[in-house]
Amino acid sequence: MTRYRQQLAGVSYEFHGLVDLMAKATPLRSGDELAGCAAHSDAERAAAQWALAEVPLVTFLTEALVPYETDEVTRLILDTHDTAAFAPIAHLTVGGLRDHLLAGAAVDDHAERLGALGPGLTPEMVAAVSKIMRNQDLIAVSAALTVTSGFRTTIGLPGRLATRLQPNHPVDAPHGVAAAVLDGLLLGCGDAVMGINPAGDSPGRAAELLSLLDEIRQRFDIPVQSCVLTHITTTLDLIERGAPVDLVFQSVAGTEGANSAFGVGLGLLREGNEAGRALRRGTVGNNVMYLETGQGSALSSGAHLGTGGRPVDQQTLEARAYAVARELDPLLVNTVVGFIGPEYLYDGKQIIRAGLEDQFCGKLLGLPMGVDVCYTNHAEADQDDMDTLLSLLVLAGTAFVITVPGADDIMLGYQSLSFHDALYARAAGKLRPAPEFERWLQNQGLADDTGRVLEIDLSASPLRALA
């Protein structure tokens, strides 16, 4: 195990292997303190960041943070590493990669080259460079990257911001779900997905909700995709039954153990992807996976230990989850950035930083990355913090955000964004909905020729049937 040393202000700091160095270099967050791997002081954190900046990128190909022999995510990362894509930057250190990314982000015709780096970067490299970047650095590089995907709408195009319309209901009542869908459509939301977290976990209930969403889609000829966010095994069963499945959902994490806690492995995820693609229900593409991640998920399941039994910091493990996502060529990936709670991201400052890190790491690794801009009611955060994060994500070019009626999810019991917040984001960022959905809004009289949502007389609209 390599020991890393750094002198700072007359004090010598020592870090026991790359796992320890990465953890100590991470901006402060409560999850790493809970895991016992956080830096003990700002000075130690600065020393670790300095030492990390001098680590050659090739080190990450030989010094695994989570053992290769015992973790299929590590094997996926190393076995699929694209050496040709890595070759142009193989000589760089972590600090050199930061300079390279920022230089590329500043020149328009270099943005395509930045995107081409993705297959040559491991999640650990990307996590490492994020730790020595300021918020504005993360935003600048994210904004320069374009990652697109498609099903019935095209996600991730420049100048566009899509939204998940999340019509959750405490008892999965069809009339409550339909009312929330109507509310969202009237405010221009739903082009990423109309996605329900079911209150119950029965396959029969999931099938009913899928049929409801599909009936709405077909009745009003809406170019959107729907999803009931149930376990992938349930979705596979629903496909076998002939239910109208568009997207295959699953939460994923950055270690084999954490994925096992979710009841999945790479084989099952690939099976779900193949089953969804075989349906060929898309019109503009056939990306069928919808994946959710979140910093702290591995720690919460006790599956966060790496080489030498040392805890791996939660942000690095989050980046490793994106390797799992990348393998599946998804339509949508979003981090539920503040959902797991203050034990992992304590306050608004930590949530904002984590959201920008996740956006940066996901896009750099080639994912159509979105964010659930959210917090739990016992976190030291409020809606002003969410306004700040949303605004920064608009600058960073996020593919989509999640929206719920009134910003308050009454089923899951957490605070997210409202449909009105999406209107603000599009107006402030001069952004439009996904093009296919925008045309539908215009045909319904719900948007003008610039994509701006209009008020309508619902009594004169076919959508009145949803009321």
Side-chain angles (χ1 to χ4, degrees):
M1 178 180 65
T2 305
R3 291 181 181 268
Y4 298 87
R5 296 177 175 84
Q6 184 66 47
Q7 287 280 133
L8 186 66
V11 178
S12 180
Y13 295 91
E14 183 172 282
F15 307 98
H16 304 279
L18 198 52
V19 172
D20 187 40
L21 180 63
M22 290 274 281
K24 295 295 195 298
T26 305
L28 179 66
R29 60 209 58 200
S30 53
D32 291 339
E33 291 180 310
L34 180 63
C37 63
H40 295 99
S41 65
D42 289 339
E44 184 182 28
R45 184 173 297 106
Q49 290 171 339
W50 194 336
L52 181 61
E54 297 174 353
V55 173
L57 293 179
V58 294
T59 304
F60 293 94
L61 300 177
T62 59
E63 190 173 340
L65 274 68
V66 182
Y68 180 93
E69 298 76 15
T70 59
D71 190 275
E72 68 173 359
V73 178
T74 300
R75 294 193 292 274
L76 171 70
I77 291 167
L78 294 178
D79 292 351
T80 61
H81 180 246
D82 188 330
T83 55
F86 181 61
I89 55 170
H91 62 289
L92 296 177
T93 62
V94 172
L97 177 60
R98 173 187 176 273
D99 294 342
H100 181 79
L101 293 173
L102 290 171
V107 182
D108 288 343
D109 62 358
H110 285 191
E112 198 169 310
R113 296 185 205 173
L114 288 184
L117 292 177
L121 294 169
T122 69
E124 291 86 350
M125 294 174 191
V126 172
V129 75
S130 76
K131 297 176 192 300
I132 62 169
M133 297 174 80
R134 292 170 55 186
N135 285 0
Q136 68 175 9
D137 298 338
L138 299 173
I139 292 168
V141 176
S142 297
L145 293 162
T146 297
V147 182
T148 61
S149 59
F151 191 76
R152 292 194 188 98
T153 58
T154 306
I155 306 300
L157 291 170
R160 305 280 178 173
L161 174 65
T163 56
R164 170 180 163 189
L165 196 171
Q166 184 168 295
N168 295 347
H169 192 275
V171 294
D172 293 333
H175 65 277
V177 171
V181 169
L182 174 61
D183 191 14
L185 291 174
L186 291 175
L187 291 167
C189 292
D191 45 342
V193 62
M194 294 193 297
I196 301 174
N197 298 90
D201 59 359
S202 75
R205 179 64 58 83
E208 291 172 0
L209 293 172
L210 277 173
S211 295
L212 171 63
L213 293 179
D214 200 57
E215 180 186 349
I216 292 171
R217 177 187 69 83
Q218 293 196 62
R219 180 172 183 178
F220 300 105
D221 196 24
I222 314 172
V224 294
Q225 40 277 339
S226 63
C227 186
V228 173
L229 281 66
T230 188
H231 193 269
I232 190 170
T233 53
T234 302
T235 304
L236 284 168
D237 180 59
L238 292 171
I239 290 173
E240 286 292 324
R241 296 186 188 190
V245 172
D246 286 342
L247 304 185
V248 179
F249 170 82
Q250 184 56 49
S251 295
V252 296
T255 67
E256 181 177 341
N259 283 320
S260 294
F262 286 139
V264 299
L266 293 178
L268 179 59
L269 291 168
R270 291 176 180 131
E271 180 185 349
N273 192 23
E274 291 170 4
R277 284 177 175 270
L279 299 175
R280 305 202 67 84
R281 290 171 58 87
T283 54
V284 299
N286 201 31
N287 302 111
V288 300
M289 297 299 289
Y290 176 18
L291 304 170
E292 280 194 341
T293 67
Q295 289 194 27
S297 58
L299 174 58
S300 68
S301 60
H304 63 293
L305 299 181
T307 301
R310 291 183 174 275
V312 182
D313 69 273
Q314 67 182 38
Q315 189 258 333
T316 297
L317 293 178
E318 170 72 6
R320 283 170 52 94
Y322 303 152
V324 177
R326 182 168 61 177
E327 172 71 4
L328 302 168
D329 195 18
L331 176 75
L332 307 168
V333 180
N334 73 257
T335 167
V336 284
V337 68
F339 180 74
I340 303 181
E343 300 87 351
Y344 307 96
L345 295 169
Y346 179 71
D347 57 15
K349 180 180 177 65
Q350 292 185 16
I351 292 171
I352 289 167
R353 172 70 190 189
L356 295 176
E357 289 169 346
D358 296 351
Q359 179 71 20
F360 164 84
C361 291
K363 285 189 79 174
L364 190 53
L365 289 169
L367 295 175
M369 199 70 196
V371 179
D372 189 353
V373 179
C374 63
Y375 64 101
T376 56
N377 289 316
H378 60 306
E380 291 296 318
D382 58 27
Q383 211 64 35
D384 286 339
D385 296 313
M386 301 305 103
D387 288 350
T388 299
L389 178 54
L390 173 60
S391 301
L392 295 175
L393 289 169
V394 166
L395 286 175
T398 194
F400 71 102
V401 293
I402 290 179
T403 54
V404 306
D408 183 6
D409 191 307
I410 58 174
M411 192 280 283
L412 290 175
Y414 80 116
Q415 307 302 309
S416 185
L417 298 177
S418 71
F419 303 136
H420 295 83
D421 292 330
L423 295 183
Y424 150 74
R426 285 173 175 157
K430 296 180 171 54
L431 303 172
R432 303 167 75 139
E436 301 84 1
F437 186 68
E438 181 183 60
R439 287 192 289 273
W440 180 83
L441 291 172
Q442 291 165 341
N443 290 338
Q444 296 295 315
L446 290 169
D448 63 18
D449 58 5
T450 70
R452 183 175 64 91
V453 171
L454 304 171
E455 292 186 18
I456 65 166
D457 178 3
L458 186 58
S459 65
S461 168
L463 291 172
R464 68 183 181 279
L466 274 177

